[in-house]
Amino acid sequence: MKHSLNRSRGFGTAEVILTVAIAVLVVVVVVPVVLIFFNALWVDGKFNAADFVRVLSERDTYMALGNSLFIATGVTLISTTLGTFFAWLVTRTDLPYKRLMKGMFLIPFMLPSFIGALAWKMLLSPRAGYINRLLMDSGLTDGPVFNCYTYAGIMIIESMYLFPFVFIQVSGALERMDPTLEESARISGAGLFTITRKITIPLVLPSVISGALLIMLYSMAHFGTVAVLGIENGIYNIPTLIYERIHQSAGSFESIRTGTVLASVLVVTAALIIWLQRRVLDKGKYQIIGGKSFRPLEIKLRKLRMPMFILCIVYIAITIVLPTVTIFLVGGLKTYGLPFTWENLTLHNYSFILFDWQLTRDAIWNSISLGLASAAIAMFAGVMISYVIVKMKVRGKGILEFLGMLPFSVPGSVIALGVILAWSGKFGINLYNTVGIILVAYVARYMAFSLKANSAALEQVHDSLVEAARACGASMWQALKDIVIPLVRPGMLAAFFLIFLPALRELTVSVMLYGPSTRTIGVAIYTLSEDGETVYSAALAGIALIIIVLGQTFIDRFANKAKAK
């Protein structure tokens, strides 16, 4: 008799797994998000749209909404231009050292943008910025030239760390694109500019727009850069206003009320952006990939070859090397503001943070332990949920995929506010100001990573292997334990690392949820900077960068070994 995992009679094992999986996602995801809308529109159990409108009509509220849209639009335009240009340069031209350049352009993708903003604050603040001071001390200018505490400063600095969203998508599309259309245009006498404008860009336009919408979504919900550079000049976006209202009023009802209204707007905006992205991808399915093996057309830059290479080097030096070196140097200063000389540099700050200061030691431990715990929980939960989605034909499994991906589509500040509402005693469980509430938020936030990695691994496991085990008398649980889990272990480990590293550098969620003893690395860096402890903030940021780079290196080696097998 042939046993099939794809059939289930009555309320069997498949339904049990489905029920447990849905219950996990409902508790972790649905309840917090639903409570956001409920608290925004209901007061004392009664529908109250007028109060919702009143909060939106307050000056601080609509200014924050306008700032979010304005900054996100500027960041999207700058990032899309940079990402598309550099993607074309490293994939379709004869630029020297293209592989190295491509790897360098991906580095900002793994660096926390708020640490970059902190570095640029040290370099470009009007009074104390090292570049401004250098220009004034040398007599080249009478006053500061640069001011990072402006809309333009925020947009440019945030774009440095978000342009890889477009770069990755466009470079992938260009590498897979059939070059015959470009070759035909070249044979017909068209020049480089005409070919690029009329053929190349239109063909990859869906990838460009898709990446741009991702940047818009991320920037609308981004906390770090605006918090570091904007608040100084009275510039708030939605996440920073939510943070300010809740922390200044110690979580009063009115601040929570304002936060839920703003969070609701973020959710609606995110849903609209995701809908637009899907429409673009559905309508933009141009056939740019042929069936034959080919190498993309390489355009000869000729006299522009070295200038373009120098441009890439200069861009990398300014956006990656300069701020990173600044972080480490400032972290080694005896006092912030001193010139970078050997007499003024010391390793004491780093040793003090790592071994002596309880606050930073706790922050490092909290981040590592939260990263490990959330990665492990999401990994195992993701395997169970992915198994239902990929391998079982039971009604309702489509709900799982939607719920699992929902938190990744919802801004982090919304997730944070939702778990505050859900787990601060409302249902008999009070996790407020504990590590537990951050852990719940992390699991919800990064569950999508686990689902993607585990689903991809499960797709490669043929159903016949489990069916054979069932035919030999093994129970479903035995088949899972002895066959499925060993085969998808690489996917599980990939999911673990995909969650651990972002959780390690996370700020947007943590800054809304931390308590006196539950600071994470990101929160500690931000709060130390705000308290004027600049050298300690920079030293901790430098340590965080080392941890992130080591973690990314380990992940890359693991991925390469997995591919080799």
Side-chain angles (χ1 to χ4, degrees), residues 285-564:
K285 290 178 180 176
Y286 305 117
Q287 294 180 342
I288 64 172
I289 304 174
K292 296 180 180 179
S293 176
F294 56 82
R295 292 185 64 185
L297 176 67
E298 189 176 85
I299 298 170
K300 304 297 182 182
L301 293 174
R302 296 186 173 88
K303 292 182 180 179
L304 291 176
R305 191 167 183 259
M306 288 312 297
M308 287 295 101
F309 177 68
I310 293 172
L311 175 66
C312 291
I313 294 296
V314 171
Y315 180 85
I316 290 168
I318 292 175
T319 61
I320 299 174
V321 179
L322 179 60
T324 303
V325 170
T326 300
I327 285 290
F328 283 101
L329 287 177
V330 172
L333 284 175
K334 295 177 180 178
T335 303
Y336 180 59
L338 294 175
F340 297 128
T341 61
W342 288 113
E343 294 79 12
N344 296 329
L345 293 173
T346 177
L347 293 176
H348 171 74
N349 298 333
Y350 292 97
S351 63
F352 180 65
I353 278 174
L354 283 172
F355 305 112
D356 299 326
W357 200 0
Q358 190 66 34
L359 184 149
T360 50
R361 287 171 56 194
D362 288 345
I364 295 170
W365 168 249
N366 286 338
S367 283
I368 293 175
S369 58
L370 280 167
L372 292 172
S374 59
I377 294 170
M379 177 185 68
F380 287 111
V383 169
M384 178 176 64
I385 296 167
S386 299
Y387 191 79
V388 177
I389 294 171
V390 174
K391 294 298 183 183
M392 292 184 174
K393 287 187 177 179
V394 288
R395 291 180 180 178
K397 70 177 186 178
I399 299 172
L400 284 179
E401 191 166 14
F402 170 75
L403 294 180
M405 297 304 296
L406 179 63
F408 189 67
S409 306
V410 173
S413 54
V414 174
I415 295 294
L417 190 56
V419 297
I420 289 174
L421 294 171
W423 308 117
S424 296
K426 190 177 185 68
F427 300 106
I429 302 175
N430 189 355
L431 300 176
Y432 195 64
N433 279 345
T434 68
V435 174
I437 199 168
I438 303 177
L439 177 61
V440 172
Y442 279 9
V443 171
R445 181 70 171 154
Y446 298 115
M447 181 64 74
F449 291 9
S450 181
L451 291 183
K452 286 293 185 183
N454 285 306
S455 294
L458 283 165
E459 289 281 4
Q460 298 176 342
V461 179
H462 201 280
D463 292 347
S464 61
L465 296 173
V466 181
E467 290 171 357
R470 297 293 304 281
C472 293
S475 67
M476 188 172 192
W477 297 113
Q478 287 176 317
L480 288 173
K481 179 174 65 73
D482 297 334
I483 296 176
V484 176
I485 297 298
L487 290 174
V488 300
R489 190 175 290 127
M492 292 175 65
L493 291 173
F496 181 90
F497 291 122
L498 281 172
I499 296 166
F500 174 70
L501 202 58
L504 197 65
R505 62 177 185 253
E506 205 283 325
L507 175 64
T508 304
V509 172
S510 308
V511 80
M512 296 278 293
L513 301 174
Y514 79 94
S517 61
T518 60
R519 284 182 173 89
T520 60
I521 291 177
V523 171
I525 293 170
Y526 174 69
T527 53
L528 285 173
S529 176
E530 291 302 295
D531 292 340
E533 300 286 357
T534 305
V535 292
Y536 291 127
S537 176
L540 184 58
I543 292 169
L545 289 177
I546 292 173
I547 296 172
I548 290 166
V549 170
L550 290 176
Q552 189 65 48
T553 302
F554 181 80
I555 291 171
D556 292 342
R557 288 188 178 181
F558 172 79
N560 292 333
K561 286 183 179 179
K563 287 180 181 179

Side-chain angles (χ1 to χ4, degrees), residues 109-366:
F109 194 68
M110 65 178 180
L111 297 178
S113 57
F114 74 93
I115 292 181
L118 185 65
W120 285 108
K121 179 180 179 180
M122 299 169 188
L123 288 167
L124 299 181
S125 62
R127 295 181 181 179
Y130 280 97
I131 291 178
N132 281 320
R133 284 172 49 192
L134 177 65
L135 293 173
M136 289 186 289
D137 292 344
S138 61
L140 295 175
T141 60
D142 295 329
V145 177
F146 303 102
N147 184 3
C148 60
Y149 302 138
T150 61
Y151 288 102
I154 293 170
M155 291 176 189
I156 292 171
I157 291 169
E158 192 167 296
S159 298
M160 294 177 186
Y161 300 91
L162 296 189
F163 87 91
F165 280 104
V166 171
F167 178 84
I168 292 170
Q169 297 217 35
V170 175
S171 59
L174 287 170
E175 287 171 346
R176 300 190 305 270
M177 191 175 76
D178 190 338
T180 53
L181 291 173
E182 293 173 317
E183 291 173 352
S184 299
R186 181 183 287 271
I187 292 171
S188 301
L192 170 61
F193 179 74
T194 303
I195 293 172
T196 303
R197 180 171 56 88
K198 291 190 173 182
I199 297 176
T200 309
I201 292 179
L203 286 175
V204 299
L205 192 59
S207 296
V208 173
I209 297 175
S210 177
L213 289 173
L214 278 176
I215 291 171
M216 173 72 80
L217 177 63
Y218 190 91
S219 183
M220 280 284 294
H222 190 51
F223 174 86
T225 306
V226 180
V228 173
L229 302 176
I231 294 177
E232 188 86 13
N233 201 28
I235 300 174
Y236 291 84
N237 64 352
I238 298 177
T240 53
L241 183 60
I242 293 174
Y243 168 79
E244 286 290 313
R245 288 291 179 87
I246 291 176
H247 277 262
Q248 284 182 356
S249 61
S252 68
F253 172 80
E254 190 61 33
S255 65
I256 294 290
R257 177 89 175 133
T258 302
T260 55
V261 172
L262 291 169
S264 300
V265 174
L266 273 182
V267 172
V268 173
T269 306
L272 178 62
I273 291 173
I274 292 168
W275 176 78
L276 286 172
Q277 186 187 40
R278 289 179 178 174
R279 287 292 299 269
V280 168
L281 292 177
D282 289 340
K283 287 189 175 182
K285 290 178 180 176
Y286 305 117
Q287 294 180 342
I288 64 172
I289 304 174
K292 296 180 180 179
S293 176
F294 56 82
R295 292 185 64 185
L297 176 67
E298 189 176 85
I299 298 170
K300 304 297 182 182
L301 293 174
R302 296 186 173 88
K303 292 182 180 179
L304 291 176
R305 191 167 183 259
M306 288 312 297
M308 287 295 101
F309 177 68
I310 293 172
L311 175 66
C312 291
I313 294 296
V314 171
Y315 180 85
I316 290 168
I318 292 175
T319 61
I320 299 174
V321 179
L322 179 60
T324 303
V325 170
T326 300
I327 285 290
F328 283 101
L329 287 177
V330 172
L333 284 175
K334 295 177 180 178
T335 303
Y336 180 59
L338 294 175
F340 297 128
T341 61
W342 288 113
E343 294 79 12
N344 296 329
L345 293 173
T346 177
L347 293 176
H348 171 74
N349 298 333
Y350 292 97
S351 63
F352 180 65
I353 278 174
L354 283 172
F355 305 112
D356 299 326
W357 200 0
Q358 190 66 34
L359 184 149
T360 50
R361 287 171 56 194
D362 288 345
I364 295 170
W365 168 249
N366 286 338

